[in-house]
Amino acid sequence: MAVRAFGGSHTGRFEDWRADVVFDPDSPVQTRARVVVQSRSLKMSPSAASSRAIGPAFLDSARYPDIRLDLQGLRHRGGEAYTAEAAVTIRGQTRTIAFPVDLRVSGDRAHLTGAFALDRADFGIGTSGPWNGLVGRQVTVRVALQAQRG
């Protein structure tokens, strides 16, 4: 993830997450996935931003330990290009999004990559207090999933 704050770009990575994926290489549009991320596992650069990001004013990981992305389907746009349709839940607020992804299938493996932007205010993140004006509202989230036929 990436966000503009304090005059620069700050990146982060969630280190604790799990995903359940249903994928059929013969019918990729039927793909479904549930990704559950532990909000407290966010590690940001610079590292001093991590504790503030998971604190009560932003992700509030003590009250909202899980972030969820529920992939509800893929629409084929041609070649390896698809539009992913998903529901994202952060801090108990759910929003439906659509974003471009690339899906490469090779044998029994599938690789999905894409990115989307969220407005943190849509999820009640950092909307009051002194930090609100210093942190950009748009957060870019990059997604990379790999699935293997099991």
Side-chain angles (χ1 to χ4, degrees), residues 54-123:
I54 65 173
F58 289 94
L59 290 176
D60 198 359
S61 64
R63 288 182 50 204
Y64 303 100
D66 295 340
I67 296 170
R68 283 195 341 260
L69 183 139
D70 293 300
L71 179 66
Q72 300 163 336
L74 298 174
R75 276 186 287 129
H76 193 231
R77 295 183 300 140
E80 296 177 341
Y82 290 80
T83 297
E85 297 169 345
V88 176
T89 303
I90 305 171
R91 287 181 57 127
Q93 302 290 317
T94 301
R95 300 289 182 263
T96 302
I97 61 169
F99 59 100
V101 296
D102 290 326
L103 176 65
R104 291 176 291 128
V105 178
S106 177
D108 63 350
R109 291 183 187 263
H111 301 272
L112 181 137
T113 57
F116 57 90
L118 297 175
D119 182 334
R120 64 180 170 79
D122 289 344
F123 298 93

Side-chain angles (χ1 to χ4, degrees), residues 42-65:
L42 177 61
K43 301 297 183 235
M44 294 197 67
S45 177
S47 61
S50 298
S51 61
R52 188 167 320 283
I54 65 173
F58 289 94
L59 290 176
D60 198 359
S61 64
R63 288 182 50 204
Y64 303 100

Side-chain angles (χ1 to χ4, degrees), residues 20-42:
D20 293 316
V21 179
V22 176
F23 176 76
D24 179 354
D26 297 324
S27 183
V29 296
Q30 298 298 317
T31 299
R32 301 291 181 269
R34 170 169 276 186
V35 180
V36 179
V37 176
Q38 297 303 302
S39 61
R40 73 182 181 289
S41 74
L42 177 61

Side-chain angles (χ1 to χ4, degrees), residues 3-21:
V3 64
R4 299 234 5 115
F6 310 107
S9 181
H10 298 267
T11 59
R13 177 183 181 97
F14 290 98
E15 296 184 342
D16 185 1
W17 59 274
R18 68 185 182 283
D20 293 316
V21 179

